[in-house]
Amino acid sequence: MTRSERLLAILQTLSGRRRAMTAAALAQRFAVSERSIYRDIAALNLQGARIEGSAGVGYVQREGFFLPPLAFDADEAAALLLGLRFVMRRGDATLVRGAESARAKLAAVLPAAFDDAAGADVPLLVAPPPERTGTLGALRRAISRQQVLRIRYSDRDGHGTERRVWPVALGWFEGAEILAAWCERRGAFRNFRLDRIRDIEPLDERPPRSRRSLLAAYRRLEPGLQF
């Protein structure tokens, strides 16, 4: 393992850990001396990492540090470009701006893989979204804020109903985009097509269960869906 590879591996090891990891434990994991770990931690902090701690106590990585990619092979770059293209075609305005910004940052680090010329060499395209009533951004905000929604919804025959729902997640499928939500009227989870939602009214009311709890329950009912 080269030093660059070890630096990346140290960041990946510390990422998401709540408890500090000692230099001795890191040294044992990477088969180097503790002195090498001290130098590695110092080098990472100079590069912008937010690793806190000290010898004998241990180290933790604070939130807020984004690791710039060191290298991607052709398949990894293609996968990332496909994901960004999907968001730029199918996301709401805020997500589109985020995807464009993320691609610009990746291109600044690895232009050979992520600039416009490289993108033209990746023959993976994303179709435009199905008809949508401009609800995606409002639904994302309601999910984030854990708000109950009042919606007007039309079935496949055009019959409209009013529902109170607890929004859980958004899903993108080949022929439709859907809102997964608990429907108070039905007393069960339901999938609502975004192109059939005619009106959304966020209420100053939170569901009696957390979104995490609702999402876990929904996943148990729909194990094949990756939310």
Side-chain angles (χ1 to χ4, degrees):
M1 177 182 289
T2 67
R3 189 179 187 225
S4 294
E5 291 171 335
R6 188 172 72 246
L7 292 176
L8 175 61
I10 289 172
L11 282 173
Q12 292 173 331
T13 299
L14 295 178
S15 178
R17 289 181 60 92
R18 295 185 178 180
R19 295 184 179 180
M21 192 169 187
T22 65
L26 288 166
Q28 182 178 11
R29 172 171 294 198
F30 297 110
V32 296
S33 68
E34 291 185 40
R35 187 180 298 274
S36 293
I37 295 297
Y38 300 149
R39 289 196 293 263
D40 290 345
I41 296 295
L44 287 167
N45 279 330
L46 285 174
Q47 294 176 24
R50 300 178 60 197
I51 299 174
E52 299 179 2
S54 60
V57 176
Y59 298 97
V60 292
Q61 180 179 318
R62 297 304 181 193
E63 295 182 359
F65 174 67
F66 174 75
L67 174 66
L70 300 183
F72 293 110
D73 63 27
D75 288 336
E76 291 169 339
L80 288 169
L81 279 171
L82 177 60
L84 290 169
R85 286 175 178 172
F86 185 93
V87 175
M88 287 188 283
R89 290 300 299 271
R90 305 288 291 268
D92 59 68
T94 302
L95 283 176
V96 169
R97 287 193 297 271
E100 291 172 342
S101 176
R103 178 169 176 172
K105 290 178 180 178
L106 289 168
V109 178
L110 291 176
F114 292 99
D115 66 9
D116 290 336
D121 291 333
V122 180
L124 301 171
L125 306 178
V126 177
E131 180 183 356
R132 187 193 287 160
T133 57
T135 57
L136 183 57
L139 290 173
R140 285 206 313 118
R141 288 190 294 273
I143 291 172
S144 176
R145 296 168 182 172
Q146 299 191 64
Q147 292 176 287
V148 175
L149 292 176
R150 181 181 290 117
I151 65 172
R152 287 195 300 112
Y153 188 72
S154 297
D155 63 20
R156 68 181 63 187
D157 298 319
H159 300 141
T161 57
E162 186 174 286
R163 315 280 188 102
R164 279 173 48 99
V165 301
W166 311 344
V168 176
L170 292 161
W172 282 259
F173 296 86
E174 182 177 356
E177 299 170 337
I178 66 104
L179 167 70
W182 177 269
C183 177
E184 292 185 358
R185 177 179 176 179
R186 299 295 187 186
F189 287 107
R190 288 291 185 268
N191 294 329
F192 299 95
R193 290 177 55 128
L194 266 59
D195 57 344
R196 295 179 183 168
I197 297 177
R198 303 306 176 197
D199 188 49
I200 297 174
E201 181 186 353
L203 304 178
D204 188 19
E205 181 180 346
R206 294 171 66 93
R209 296 171 60 185
S210 70
R211 187 176 69 87
R212 179 174 294 183
S213 171
L214 290 169
L215 182 57
Y218 181 84
R219 280 173 165 162
R220 288 193 293 270
L221 293 174
E222 300 284 358
L225 297 181
Q226 296 298 313
F227 284 101

